Structures are given as structure tokens and as C-alpha cells.
């Protein structure tokens, strides 16, 4: 076809009824293909060398000469301007954890757990089973009790220690001894009203809060770190005045002006017949540090400068007591300082006796149901003003539970030597958990006729405190050579097996009771109550008609799931970021639906990357949106999951997610993402 004919064909006026504007729609594609073929035959260049704003087709004029050379090459495309934020990570689905496989563990609590608690699964079957059992335990001990204007018709919530009614309990069968554990465990449930009601019960005039040592302000502060953006929010801020009053009330009655420390009997510490007996114990003095730290944080959030200054000085005061009065350089351990009860405490006891309210405060001192003429522990007690000889687990757990030990690198290395006794066979180490008194002590397992003893048995109350102490040491303190994540991993797994593999008369596992034999794995007080060898009729116990024979059924005197979520999973909320530092050697775990400051978190750790098919590493989701993955530690960095930090707020649609170079602690940097 000649050039003129092609031009006339391309520019001809379309006729109606033919393949032009007036043609049917079905005919238009054929017309377009015809035009395109003609254009190509005419040497039309498509999209080459044209400005970006030109038409995508360009036709030569009729008079234009046909090009005799190749068209110019296309210009090189410049890469886009680099974005200040990396592209979002690919989306990955959060693994689903059904509860039906544990319905035989949860039983009547299955429906409650479906709606109320985070879900968890890991490679260790004992840990997973115990996790779900402990939520059933929590639910079993929830009881409607106090009546108040804000409560429903059936009353507000409280939590109990025993399921059966106990004659030494307070209103609604409550006992304050494990209340700190209750609050720490309950900070992870979705229903805030349970712990809110419980806190108002203790500090609103309902419970016997001085019957045993109690760390209410500290536990509520730790709960607010998980739930609230600021301690000024939530129930702890509304109870601030009552918490301050409670703090001063303890000093009024238990402060020893001669030794300048807090006195507590072992019985009122909830540790009857401990090997170290009464005195300025590391327990109560560490509690006072924790209470002061909590109240200082609350005062800061509430902008109460005078109270903040006062409680910051109180923190330093109780830390000096621990390091200068209760630390034994010889034994490298925090010990009990033997002292008599203060006169103010005797006056309070006499006053409560006069009012016939003696059960509201503890009245027992020294060794209970012990033989007369004994020498170990001394019948008249240890010499006043001296540190007692035996190491006790509470001297290891309490100072670090409340982070009362100095955090400078030198201090951390010095005091952390106490953890060398945790798994030592002559120290606290045992098959079924840490002993409450070191095995080498002469007062270990001393003879008496009491129901409960803290002279050697494994008590979950103190085991859970030791677990939290390890978490704080490894997550908050500078690196030291005396304890590592392997120690926490061993303690948690042993603690789980105490639930799933121990022996309890009349019950199948999982179960938790009062005190466990450290070597043989049976519940000692339960066996006494059942009159089983070697304790038939011990202290008048063991009668089949005794209504308290099974008082230890599903005993809620400790925490476990708080250790899983804050230690094994490693959640540590801070002011500017959320840190995730798993302290476990387990090869994989998955925690979903964990509520932290309004965020719905899911965390997966898979060492090999094969269990969840997500790849090796630590994977994190926020509100079901995938945030990022951190690879496993390299061989020279250690074993286990990495430590990561996650920003609270999103920036330009992204949430900052960084991996710390190693799992070791580092001091705070100028920027939180600079680990």
C-alpha cells in the first residue's frame, strides 16, 4: 500500500453504520486492531523517546520522511527516592491456638478462659499443661463477696487462698499472704474489674491486710505497667492515699528503732518455722523498698513532688538496710538479723486482743510446736543483733523480686553471687524445686509437730518469687556470670513438673498444694492431714473426720502464669517501648492475645523455623498485623531467642521494631532503639 493511501486510511472520516463512532461497540475492537496494524506498518514508534506527559501513541505527519536510522535508546530510569521508612514486612497470619485440647484441664473454666486469658503453647508439655491449669485455679478462687455501690447485686470480686473455709481467714475467706501473687497473676487477664475490686477490698477497709506481709502497692504498680500508659491511670492512682497510709502504718508498728530496720516474725511473713526465725528479715525490708518504689512512681505520675521526693529517699533507706545490715560478706548472701519484736508491735497486738480482733494481726513469735530444750534452732532464738547462720531462699528471692539490689555493674556482680546457691546440691537445689533452707544448714528440716514448716520443703509461694527474682536479674541488671537464662529455664520447668508429676492423696495431677518434699515429690502437709506415713497423727492431724483434711485442694498461694508471660515469653513494658526478652531454652512457643497497654500482642519463637512454618526466629504481631522477625542468636551470642524492642506508637504507618545486638543487658542509651 502506498504512503498516501495509508495516510488517507488513517485520517479518513468514519462513516455511520460502519466501524466508526457510530458503529456498534462490538465492532470497535476490530477497528482498533486495524488502526494499530496500520500504524505499525507506517513505522510508528510506541513509547520510545517520548516525554512522560506525551500521548502513548504518536503518528508521523503525512509529509514527514521515513526515518533511516534506529530510534534513540530509552533513557535510563532513575531509582525512586529512598524512603525514610523501610517497606512494611510481608503479612503473615497469627497461629491459632484452640482450647479444646485442654478442656480436660480447664474443665468448668473453659468458657471463662476462652474470653478472658491469653493463649499459650510451647514445646514443653508440662509447662503448657500447667499454664492452662493455673488459669483454672485462678478462676476457681474468684468469689463474689463485698457489697459496694459500684458492685453488682451479688457483690464485688475477691480472690481466696483456700477453696474451703478456713478459721483463720478474714472476710469472704480471704487471706492477705498471697494477695501480691494474686495481683501479679491477674494483671494478664482481660477483665480489669476482678483485680480492681480486689484492690479496693484490701485498701477500702475490708480485709485483714496486716495479718501477713503484703506488697499491695508494688503489685498494683506492676499491673499498671502492663495495662496503663501511665501509673496515674487505673485503680492504683485512685487508691494512692490509702496506699500511702498503709505504708506508714507498717512503719509505725514494725520498725525497730534500735537496729533501724523492719522487724517481722517468720510466721507473719507466711513462713512458719523458718530456719532463721524472727528478726529484720530480708523479706519485709525488701517489700518496703518495693512499696516505696511503687509510691514514688505513682507520685511522679500524679505530679506530687513532695511525696515523690519522700519515697525516693525511702527507697535509698531500705536499700542501705539490705546492703549494710543484712548482707553477709562471708556467706555472700542476704541473711536474717535476729532482733526482738518492737514495743509498738506488742502494743498493737494487745490492743487487737482487747478488741477481740486478734486474728487481724499476727500474734505468734518464734518456733511453733517445737520441742523444749532444743539447740537448733535455739530455744530462746538466735543472739540478738547478729546475722543468723542458715541461708534461706527468701534472702535470695525477695531482694531481686522487688529489684532492691543496687543496679550498678559492680554491685550486680557482687550481690548476684547469691544465685550460685539456687541449684547447688548443698544449697537450695533439689529434684522438685528450690528448698526453702539450704541443705547444708544444721537447722535444715529441724524436728517439730507443726503442720507447716519452712525449714526445707519446696513452697510454690517462694518458688514463684525466686522465678520473678531471676527475671528481674536477667532483664533489668547488668550482665553477670552467676546466673543466666538456663537457670530460669530449669526453675520454671521444674516448677511445672511439681504441678503435673507430683503425688497428692486423693487427686490426680495437675495439682498444686502447700509444701512439696524436695526429693520425693509428695505434698507434705497434705500427707500429714491424711495421716500417711511418716506422719501419722502428727500434731493431732490425720483424722478422716477433719473437715480441713483436703484444705490444700488447688491451693492458690503462688503465681505461675506471670512467670510464663513475663519470663518465658519475656514481656517487659517500659516507658518508651515494649521489650521482649524470652528467658527460655525451649525450642518453640506461641503466645497470642496478650493485652498490653491496649495492644493485642502475639509472639512466636521458633528456633528451627519448622514448627509454625514461619521461618526461624522471634515473630511479633500487633493487633493481628505482622510487625517483624528477629533471627535466632548466633553461636557466639549464646543460645535461645533474641531480645527485641517494639515502639508503642506507629510512625508513618509503621511501628518501630529493633533487635538488640545480643541478649545481654545494656545500660539505657540516648535512644531506646540503640540497645
Amino acid at each position: 500500500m502506498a504512503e498516501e493511501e495509508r495516510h488517507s486510511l488513517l485520517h479518513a472520516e468514519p462513516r455511520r453504520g460502519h466501524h466508526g463512532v457510530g458503529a456498534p461497540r462490538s465492532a470497535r475492537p476490530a477497528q482498533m486492531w486495524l488502526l494499530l496494524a496500520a500504524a505499525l506498518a507506517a513505522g510508528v514508534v510506541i513509547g520510545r523517546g517520548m516525554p512522560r506527559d506525551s500521548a502513548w501513541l504518536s503518528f508521523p505527519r503525512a509529509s514527514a520522511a521515513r526515518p533511516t536510522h534506529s530510534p534513540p535508546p530509552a533513557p535510563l530510569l532513575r531509582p525512586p527516592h529512598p524512603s525514610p521508612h523501610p517497606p512494611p514486612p510481608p503479612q503473615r497470619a497469627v497461629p491459632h491456638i484452640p482450647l479444646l485440647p485442654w478442656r480436660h484441664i480447664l474443665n468448668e473454666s473453659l468458657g471463662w478462659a476462652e474470653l478472658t486469658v491469653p493463649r499459650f503453647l510451647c514445646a514443653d508439655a508440662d509447662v503448657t499443661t500447667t499454664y492452662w491449669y493455673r488459669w483454672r485455679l485462678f478462676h476457681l478462687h474468684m468469689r463474689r463477696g463485698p457489697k459496694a455501690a459500684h458492685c453488682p447485686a451479688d457483690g464485688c470480686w475477691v480472690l481466696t487462698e483456700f477453696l474451703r473455709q478456713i478459721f483463720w481467714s478474714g472476710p469472704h475467706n480471704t487471706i492477705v499472704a498471697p494477695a501480691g501473687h494474686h495481683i501479679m497473676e491477674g494483671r494478664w487477664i482481660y477483665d480489669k474489674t476482678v483485680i480492681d475490686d480486689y484492690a479496693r477490698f484490701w485498701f477500702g477497709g475490708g480485709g485483714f491486710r496486716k495479718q501477713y506481709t503484703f506488697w499491695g502497692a508494688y503489685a498494683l504498680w506492676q499491673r499498671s505497667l502492663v495495662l496503663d500508659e501511665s501509673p496515674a491511670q487505673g485503680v492504683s492512682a485512685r487508691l494512692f492515699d490509702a496506699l500511702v497510709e498503709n505504708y506508714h502504718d507498717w512503719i509505725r508498728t514494725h520498725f525497730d528503732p534500735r537496729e533501724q530496720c523492719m522487724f517481722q516474725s517468720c510466721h507473719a511473713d507466711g513462713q512458719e518455722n523458718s530456719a532463721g526465725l524472727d528478726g529484720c528479715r530480708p523479706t519485709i525490708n525488701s517489700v518496703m523498698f518495693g512499696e516505696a518504689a511503687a509510691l514514688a512512681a505513682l507520685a511522679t505520675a500524679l505530679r506530687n513532688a513532695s511525696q515523690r521526693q519522700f519515697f525516693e529517699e525511702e527507697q535509698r533507706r531500705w536499700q542501705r538496710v539490705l546492703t549494710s545490715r543484712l548482707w553477709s560478706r562471708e556467706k555472700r548472701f542476704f541473711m536474717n538479723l535476729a532482733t526482738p519484736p518492737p514495743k509498738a508491735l506488742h502494743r498493737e497486738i494487745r490492743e487487737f486482743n482487747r478488741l477481740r480482733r486478734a486474728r487481724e494481726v499476727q500474734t505468734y513469735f518464734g518456733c511453733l510446736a517445737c520441742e523444749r530444750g532444743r539447740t537448733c534452732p535455739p530455744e530462746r532464738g538466735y543472739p540478738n543483733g547478729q546475722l543468723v547462720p542458715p541461708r534461706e531462699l527468701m534472702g535470695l528471692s525477695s531482694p531481686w523480686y522487688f529489684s532492691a539490689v543496687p543496679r550498678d555493674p559492680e554491685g550486680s556482680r557482687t550481690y548476684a553471687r547469691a544465685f550460685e546457691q539456687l541449684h547447688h546440691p548443698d544449697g537450695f537445689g533439689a529434684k522438685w524445686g528450690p528448698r526453702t533452707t539450704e541443705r547444708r544448714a544444721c537447722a535444715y528440716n529441724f524436728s517439730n509437730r507443726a503442720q507447716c514448716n519452712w525449714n526445707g520443703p519446696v513452697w510454690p509461694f517462694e518458688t514463684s518469687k525466686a522465678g520473678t527474682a531471676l527475671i528481674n536479674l536477667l532483664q533489668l541488671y547488668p550482665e553477670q556470670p552467676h546466673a543466666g537464662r538456663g537457670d530460669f529455664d530449669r526453675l520454671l520447668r521444674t516448677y511445672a513438673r511439681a504441678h503435673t508429676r507430683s503425688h497428692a492423696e486423693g487427686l490426680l495431677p495437675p495439682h498444686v498444694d502447700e509444701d512439696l518434699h524436695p526429693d520425693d515429690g509428695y505434698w507434705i502437709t497434705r500427707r500429714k492431714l491424711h495421716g500417711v506415713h511418716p506422719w501419722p497423727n502428727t500434731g493431732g492431724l490425720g483424722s478422716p473426720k477433719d473437715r480441713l483434711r483436703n484444705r490444700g485442694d488447688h491451693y492458690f498461694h503462688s503465681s505461675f502464669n506471670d512467670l510464663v508471660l513475663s519470663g518465658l515469653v519475656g514481656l517487659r513494658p517500659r516507658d518508651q517501648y515494649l521489650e521482649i526478652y524470652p528467658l527460655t531454652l525451649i525450642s518453640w512457643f506461641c503466645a497470642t492475645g496478650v493485652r498490653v497497654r491496649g495492644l493485642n500482642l502475639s509472639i512466636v519463637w521458633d528456633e528451627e523455623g519448622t514448627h509454625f512454618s514461619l521461618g526461624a526466629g522471634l515473630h511479633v504481631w500487633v493487633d493481628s498485623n505482622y510487625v517483624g522477625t528477629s533471627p535466632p542468636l548466633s553461636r557466639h551470642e549464646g543460645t535461645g531467642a533474641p531480645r527485641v524492642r517494639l515502639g508503642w506508637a506507629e510512625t508513618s504507618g509503621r511501628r518501630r521494631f529493633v533487635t538488640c545486638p545480643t541478649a545481654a543487658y545494656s545500660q539505657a542509651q540516648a535512644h531506646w532503639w540503640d540497645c
Side-chain angles (χ1 to χ4, degrees):
M1 184 181 295
E3 184 72 17
E4 293 79 10
E5 293 175 342
R6 284 197 298 268
H7 179 75
S8 61
L9 177 62
L10 288 172
H11 295 277
E13 183 74 15
R15 291 176 294 178
R16 289 189 179 275
H18 198 56
H19 303 319
V21 177
R25 289 184 178 270
S26 60
R28 292 184 185 179
Q31 180 187 14
M32 293 301 297
W33 279 111
L34 181 61
L35 291 173
L36 181 60
L40 290 174
V44 175
V45 180
I46 301 177
R48 281 203 173 190
M50 300 301 298
R52 296 180 65 90
D53 57 350
S54 300
W56 73 281
L57 279 177
S58 178
F59 299 100
R61 295 180 182 272
S63 60
R66 190 167 183 170
T68 58
H69 58 275
S70 301
L76 295 176
L77 296 177
R78 294 183 179 180
H81 185 72
S83 171
H85 303 285
Q91 287 300 310
R92 306 179 186 182
V94 178
H96 175 62
I97 302 178
L99 291 194
L100 287 181
W102 291 279
R103 62 184 180 275
H104 64 292
I105 303 296
L106 288 162
N107 292 329
E108 68 283 340
S109 303
L110 176 63
W112 174 83
E114 283 271 4
L115 303 174
T116 313
V117 303
R119 302 193 179 193
F120 174 79
L121 179 70
C122 77
D124 190 302
D126 294 295
V127 173
T128 303
T129 299
T130 304
Y131 178 85
W132 291 112
Y133 166 70
R134 292 294 301 220
W135 283 131
R136 182 198 177 208
L137 182 76
F138 188 98
H139 185 228
L140 288 175
H141 285 268
M142 290 169 52
R143 173 181 293 192
R144 292 286 190 182
K147 306 292 184 180
H150 66 276
C151 297
D154 51 352
C156 285
W157 291 112
V158 294
L159 294 163
T160 60
E161 177 180 336
F162 294 93
L163 291 177
R164 287 171 169 78
Q165 185 68 39
I166 302 298
F167 65 84
W168 63 88
S169 64
H172 314 292
N173 202 34
T174 58
I175 299 176
V176 77
H181 285 314
H182 293 168
I183 295 170
M184 293 289 282
E185 196 91 329
R187 63 181 176 154
W188 301 102
I189 66 173
Y190 302 160
D191 185 0
K192 293 183 179 182
T193 61
V194 177
I195 300 301
D196 285 354
D197 286 353
Y198 194 45
R200 282 189 285 261
F201 166 75
W202 286 118
F203 295 101
F208 299 168
R209 64 173 181 261
K210 291 188 71 177
Q211 191 180 33
Y212 294 94
T213 304
F214 178 34
W215 54 95
Y218 180 82
L220 289 171
W221 174 44
Q222 293 299 304
R223 177 178 180 250
S224 73
L225 294 177
V226 170
L227 297 180
D228 306 316
E229 295 181 4
S230 167
Q233 303 170 343
V235 70
S236 53
R238 294 191 291 273
L239 293 173
F240 179 72
D241 292 338
L243 296 172
V244 171
E245 180 184 354
N246 178 68
Y247 179 90
H248 290 293
D249 192 35
W250 276 93
I251 293 178
R252 178 182 62 83
T253 55
H254 287 71
F255 182 70
D256 184 337
R258 180 175 180 179
E259 299 293 347
Q260 292 293 300
C261 56
M262 291 289 285
F263 169 90
Q264 185 64 299
S265 70
C266 61
H267 191 74
D269 248 348
Q271 303 186 2
E272 304 90 331
N273 285 359
S274 74
L277 299 181
D278 308 339
C280 286
R281 295 166 58 85
T283 47
I284 184 67
N285 289 278
S286 298
V287 165
M288 296 306 289
F289 175 93
E291 296 288 278
L295 293 171
L298 285 169
T300 301
L302 295 171
R303 299 181 181 180
N304 189 328
S306 60
Q307 291 282 37
R308 175 188 60 80
Q309 184 177 3
F310 171 78
F311 284 111
E312 286 177 350
E313 180 56 40
E314 288 290 278
Q315 285 180 255
R316 292 187 284 270
R317 171 192 188 183
W318 301 120
Q319 190 173 80
R320 286 193 299 269
V321 169
L322 284 168
T323 56
S324 64
R325 302 289 288 141
L326 305 185
W327 175 256
S328 171
R329 294 185 179 181
E330 176 189 356
K331 299 203 171 185
R332 298 166 182 169
F333 208 83
F334 290 104
M335 314 291 287
N336 178 33
L337 177 67
T339 58
K343 294 180 180 179
L345 181 56
H346 282 297
R347 286 195 296 268
E348 181 182 59
I349 292 172
R350 287 195 298 269
E351 178 63 17
F352 274 82
N353 280 329
R354 185 184 67 82
L355 298 173
R356 297 184 179 181
R357 295 167 53 191
R359 285 210 312 269
E360 296 185 31
V361 293
Q362 278 294 345
T363 58
Y364 300 107
F365 298 109
C367 187
L368 303 179
C370 293
E371 301 292 338
R372 290 190 174 275
R374 66 185 184 278
T375 58
C376 187
E379 183 173 1
R380 295 183 178 274
Y382 294 101
N384 289 330
Q386 297 182 20
L387 296 177
V388 303
R391 295 183 182 93
E392 298 178 87
L393 185 60
M394 59 88 180
L396 176 69
S397 61
S398 295
W400 279 274
Y401 183 98
F402 299 100
S403 302
V405 181
R407 297 194 192 183
D408 61 285
E410 182 180 357
S412 178
R413 288 191 297 270
T414 299
Y415 297 111
R417 299 193 71 167
F419 281 90
E420 294 175 353
Q421 303 298 323
L422 182 60
H423 297 301
H424 195 289
D426 291 330
F428 306 114
K431 178 181 178 180
W432 291 94
R435 309 173 196 268
T436 47
T437 298
E438 61 176 336
R439 181 68 180 83
R440 64 174 71 86
C442 63
Y444 177 80
N445 197 28
F446 62 83
S447 177
N448 63 79
R449 301 183 311 279
Q451 299 177 19
C452 301
N453 287 281
W454 287 69
N455 57 7
V458 177
W459 280 85
F461 178 96
E462 205 64 30
T463 300
S464 52
K465 281 177 61 182
T468 300
L470 267 171
I471 293 170
N472 289 341
L473 173 69
L474 299 175
Q475 291 181 349
L476 298 178
Y477 282 77
E479 190 175 9
Q480 38 68 42
H482 309 295
R485 68 168 72 193
D487 295 284
F488 175 78
D489 185 81
R490 177 179 174 182
L491 182 139
L492 184 69
R493 295 205 207 194
T494 303
Y495 188 19
R497 284 156 179 71
H499 291 75
T500 59
R501 305 189 187 190
S502 60
H503 178 71
E505 283 72 21
L507 284 176
L508 293 175
H511 174 70
V512 64
D513 215 291
E514 296 183 65
D515 53 334
L516 186 67
H517 196 289
D519 302 312
D520 296 335
Y522 60 83
W523 298 98
I524 297 174
T525 300
R526 188 178 190 88
R527 188 160 286 192
K528 289 181 179 180
L529 290 167
H530 281 255
V532 179
H533 180 80
W535 287 289
N537 301 316
T538 302
L541 303 175
S543 169
K545 297 181 180 180
D546 188 349
R547 65 184 184 87
L548 296 182
R549 181 183 178 94
N550 295 317
R551 74 183 190 195
D553 288 1
H554 309 299
Y555 185 53
F556 194 15
H557 193 236
S558 56
S559 64
F560 180 86
N561 291 343
D562 183 59
L563 303 183
V564 171
L565 295 172
S566 64
L568 188 152
V569 178
L571 294 170
R572 171 73 65 172
R574 298 177 185 262
D575 290 337
Q576 293 180 294
Y577 56 87
L578 170 68
E579 185 164 278
I580 305 174
Y581 181 10
L583 302 176
T584 182
L585 302 181
I586 290 174
S587 60
W588 60 263
F589 69 75
C590 177
T592 64
V594 186
R595 306 280 178 86
V596 179
R597 298 193 185 182
L599 303 179
N600 191 324
L601 296 171
S602 297
I603 303 100
V604 166
W605 159 245
D606 195 344
E607 187 173 25
E608 301 295 333
T610 56
H611 190 81
F612 296 100
S613 300
L614 294 169
L618 187 72
H619 311 273
V620 180
W621 292 260
V622 176
D623 298 331
S624 299
N625 296 316
Y626 176 68
V627 174
T629 295
S630 182
L633 296 177
S634 61
R635 182 169 298 178
H636 74 275
E637 289 178 316
T639 304
R643 182 166 62 103
V644 302
R645 290 176 176 177
L646 182 69
W648 290 119
E650 291 186 350
T651 303
S652 300
R654 292 293 315 283
R655 193 179 303 276
R656 192 149 195 176
F657 177 87
V658 297
T659 301
C660 297
T662 67
Y665 168 90
S666 63
Q667 295 286 351
Q669 305 293 328
H671 302 288
W672 64 261
W673 55 85
D674 182 10
C675 299

